[in-house]
Amino acid sequence: MRRLALLAALALSRLAHADPLPAHAAGVADYSIRVRLDVRAKTLAGAEHVTWRNPASEPVAELWFHLYLNAFKNSESTFFRESGGQLRGDRMPDEGWGFVDVKSLRTKDGVDLAPAGRFEQPDDGNTSDRTVWRVPLPAPVPPGGTLEFDLEWNAQLPRVFARTGYFRDYFLVGQWFPKLAVYEPEGLRGRSLGGWNCHQFHANSEFYADFGRYHVEITLPKDYVVGATGSRSARRENPDGTATHVFERSDVIDFAWTASPHFVEVRQRFSGQNDVSEQEYAETAALLGRSRGEVQLSDVDIILLLQPEHLAQRERHLRAAKAAIKWFGLWYGRYPYPAITIVDPAFGAGGSGGMEYPTFITAGTSVLLNQWPLEGVLAPEEVVIHEFGHQYWQSMVATNEFEESWLDEGFNSYSTGRVREKVYGPWLIQALGLRLGGIELSRMQNSVERMFDKIRTPAWEYSSSSNYGFNSYARTELTLRTLEALLGPETLARAMRTYHERYRFRHPSSDDFYAVVSEVAGRDLSGFFAQTTERPGILDDEVSSVASDEAAEPQGVFGEGDKRKIVTKGEATAKEKQAAGRRPWHTTVMVRRRGEVVLPTSLRLDYEGGASQTLPLLEAVPAKGAVEGTPLASGATTAGEPWRGRFKRIELTGPHRLVSATIDPDDRLLIDVNRLNNSRRAEPDPRAANRLGTRLVFWLQQLVALAGL
Ligand SMILES: [Zn+2]
């Protein structure tokens, strides 16, 4: 019934709107910024005019800002304390602090509100942290009302080590201007009361902001090549030897830019006509159950700003960018902006690589990847596809990266892997005879050590930096692949498409995603998420023992009265043997759950002579109520009942001797932390080499977990 009603509603909405992809965001915060870069002092002087619309149904009497360059102000910032001055393998240089100072904040009537502003520390109470700034307003902004104000500020850029800053004459300017936080109205992301959502700058977190229109004028020496969010609408030269570059973009949540005199600018156009075959359009439309028109892609200008020493990798970058524009567009909905800018960071500024901003991403490569033996390592491709993917998961579907990082990094890891496999095949790394796929790399990071965190956790509250990374990226990827295997690829593809369409230019939460998946699958899947993302624990199903013996021969007293007869051992069965040609075998298999996650699985039994059979152990995902808060019951489940407890003994009698038993034989549960124990043979395995290989993978898993990769 529910499904029918839904289908009817969908059909009706399809009639009303031929294209379910929204064309524009409901703009909340518009910025017009003039900024001047002093390339010697590494400072910015900024003036910014902001228009903010109150999206809520209540008046709002204060503004909250991100002043994120203050994360680099001194050793007492929350970012510095959490990171210890290093991030993603890069160290904070000894000199290279950065900060931002707001000089004034004036409303239309000229009153300066800045002196009343206060720094807040909503996450950790660290009063030395200066990354969140709250400004009370003299009069509240009414529901739906608009407030305009002007800010003047100065900033010192940090030396690049964590995403933003300078290195010599290279600049990657992100999180650089005073930016409004997100005012979340009641109901948004499950809020019971409207309010500002504003977090401090953390080591293990990215960002959250609202949609709006940006007009940014950047002035700097005229020999600098500049790239930025949006498209350049003008460039004018000034009498003082500088040039002013004007960039504009609407429907975006942030703005970043780069400048260097050394960039080699390469341009190429992705064509919705020529870069996608008619067959690929048709296959995508069929996969998603959409019309041909709905999956049509538009043209996109690719602006690649390469370091001169990486020119040999020009085509590799462009091919990856086109692949990403194509497959993200086909699967989730066309890329709506006219351009994407890809920045290749300067040598020494690797900390600014691999980062995403709207229509503007940073890649990352090395001259070592120009040639043998490392040309088969798809690192630059992976970074370009991944960072482009953030246009979908986080930029357009603008999730809160502080509180639900899995919705951006994890969704993007899943999508990146799918695009890479589609275009480049299964191997992420091929070098010197070694081959490794992306999904193997993700699985190698999984282990029993991962039982302590749950996926849906605020980014700064994971037990360790390694667990922030594992849960936000690899574990989410493995979880979505597991879900895909349980639902079928078509159902998950349709759910992801629907989720993207419905929340493009909006701010969904995890619960919104759960609801879409259940809706598209036509069944309640909250029990899946309750176990895999909402609580800690691991999945580790195993075959713990296997025995297959000749059934004991009947002996003793049989029959009544005159027919009573004593059968001694061997006597009756000898006759049976003659009649049947062979004797029956008695097989016992014990399966156990070493983890807490209970998902549908089956057991394959392989017999001598080549026969095999597959027994379902559990066919449906348990309901949320059946798993929430309840520890896994100990004890066996009775034969024939779905397997929900810790262990189950399976006993069978048949004509053949069992050779081996394998749980999850199709390898659908990719979140299983240990595949080594999924299969067991009834006698010592003569193919020892094979087992040795599996054991090697197991030890590799442990090593990777120890190294915290
Ligand atoms: Zn990412």
Side-chain angles (χ1 to χ4, degrees), residues 88 206 354-356 383 386-387 389-390 393-394 401 405 408-410 412-413 416 468 473:
R88 306 194 295 184
E206 290 185 342
M355 187 55 198
E356 68 279 8
V383 186
H386 179 91
E387 304 310 331
H390 277 303
W393 310 126
Q394 200 277 328
E401 293 188 280
S405 54
D408 54 280
E409 295 301 354
N412 195 25
S413 296
T416 301
Y468 156 71
Y473 293 75

Side-chain angles (χ1 to χ4, degrees), residues 24-220:
H24 296 287
V28 172
D30 294 341
Y31 296 81
S32 179
I33 307 175
R34 277 177 290 122
V35 62
R36 197 178 178 92
L37 169 66
D38 181 328
V39 295
R40 257 182 300 248
K42 324 293 183 193
T43 55
L44 301 173
E48 124 189 16
H49 182 80
V50 184
T51 306
W52 182 71
R53 283 168 216 87
N54 179 358
S57 52
E58 63 273 1
V60 173
E62 57 186 25
L63 300 175
W64 285 63
F65 291 89
H66 302 132
L67 298 183
Y68 279 166
L69 284 181
N70 285 341
F72 307 97
K73 189 167 183 173
N74 56 45
S75 59
E76 305 312 301
S77 74
T78 288
F79 168 73
F80 200 94
R81 285 186 181 178
E82 288 176 346
S83 65
Q86 57 179 6
L87 195 70
R88 306 194 295 184
D90 288 317
R91 270 211 81 75
M92 169 99 182
D94 289 337
E95 287 169 34
W97 305 103
F99 55 85
V100 56
D101 272 334
V102 178
K103 293 196 297 183
S104 65
L105 190 168
R106 289 179 202 281
T107 50
K108 265 186 186 162
D109 50 17
V111 181
D112 185 5
L113 305 180
R118 294 286 174 267
F119 290 105
E120 298 281 345
Q121 299 83 19
D123 299 336
D124 67 356
N126 168 18
T127 51
S128 301
D129 193 69
R130 298 274 185 277
T131 57
V132 167
W133 192 51
R134 178 168 69 106
V135 180
L137 295 171
V141 185
T146 293
L147 179 73
E148 289 187 47
F149 54 91
D150 288 281
L151 285 151
E152 282 191 43
W153 50 268
N154 290 320
Q156 169 71 55
L157 292 171
R159 215 181 103 178
V160 164
F161 94 103
R163 305 188 185 98
T164 186
Y166 67 88
F167 183 74
R168 297 192 182 127
D169 52 5
Y170 162 86
F171 296 85
L172 196 295
V173 189
Q175 310 304 333
W176 52 287
F177 60 97
K179 185 170 61 185
L180 283 165
V182 178
Y183 191 91
E184 297 184 326
E186 178 193 337
L188 185 76
R189 299 181 59 252
R191 277 191 89 115
S192 51
L193 274 177
W196 287 99
N197 186 300
C198 191
H199 292 287
Q200 295 161 249
F201 193 111
H202 291 278
N204 292 333
S205 175
E206 290 185 342
F207 310 104
Y208 184 42
D210 231 320
F211 288 96
R213 189 178 64 241
Y214 284 80
H215 171 104
V216 179
E217 303 192 6
I218 302 162
T219 300
L220 75 180

Side-chain angles (χ1 to χ4, degrees), residues 331-547:
W331 288 335
Y332 309 125
R334 85 184 61 84
Y335 181 72
Y337 309 109
I340 179 79
T341 298
I342 304 168
V343 182
D344 173 25
F347 183 75
S352 69
M355 187 55 198
E356 68 279 8
Y357 301 94
T359 78
F360 178 94
I361 59 177
T362 67
T365 189
S366 154
V367 286
L368 295 176
L369 299 172
N370 284 359
Q371 63 233 329
W372 188 89
L374 297 179
E375 80 282 11
V377 176
L378 299 181
E381 288 83 356
E382 177 81 357
V383 186
V384 167
I385 297 168
H386 179 91
E387 304 310 331
F388 178 82
H390 277 303
Q391 300 300 313
Y392 285 77
W393 310 126
Q394 200 277 328
S395 247
M396 285 190 267
V397 175
T399 45
N400 185 330
E401 293 188 280
F402 293 93
E403 296 178 13
E404 302 173 284
S405 54
W406 74 289
L407 292 179
D408 54 280
E409 295 301 354
F411 277 48
N412 195 25
S413 296
Y414 165 81
S415 306
T416 301
R418 282 287 178 232
V419 173
R420 184 189 356 90
E421 288 165 3
K422 186 96 186 162
V423 180
Y424 296 92
W427 310 117
L428 176 60
I429 295 168
Q430 291 189 80
L432 303 168
L434 174 78
R435 281 177 158 186
L436 200 58
I439 207 71
E440 281 72 33
L441 212 57
S442 292
R443 288 189 90 159
M444 280 165 65
Q445 299 169 55
N446 204 358
S447 77
V448 289
E449 284 302 304
R450 303 301 192 179
M451 66 186 285
F452 303 103
D453 290 272
K454 60 191 169 78
I455 285 181
R456 187 186 188 179
T457 299
W460 62 96
E461 288 181 4
Y462 289 99
S463 61
S464 66
S465 196
S466 154
N467 272 313
Y468 156 71
F470 175 69
N471 281 277
S472 305
Y473 293 75
R475 183 180 246 168
T476 300
E477 178 186 23
L478 296 172
T479 302
L480 289 175
R481 291 250 188 168
T482 300
L483 182 63
E484 183 180 72
L486 294 175
L487 299 180
E490 189 178 86
T491 303
L492 190 72
R494 291 177 182 199
M496 297 289 274
R497 173 80 177 203
T498 304
Y499 170 66
H500 184 88
E501 283 170 348
R502 198 168 294 172
Y503 292 101
R504 177 176 278 201
F505 302 137
R506 294 176 64 195
H507 305 297
S509 71
S510 305
D511 300 294
D512 295 318
F513 176 67
Y514 305 156
V516 169
V517 179
S518 292
E519 177 189 309
V520 173
R523 57 192 152 121
D524 179 13
L525 288 162
S526 54
F528 177 86
F529 297 107
Q531 298 186 78
T532 55
T533 61
E534 294 284 331
R535 72 175 191 190
I538 52 163
L539 186 144
D540 187 7
D541 295 347
E542 70 167 7
V543 175
S544 63
S545 68
V546 174

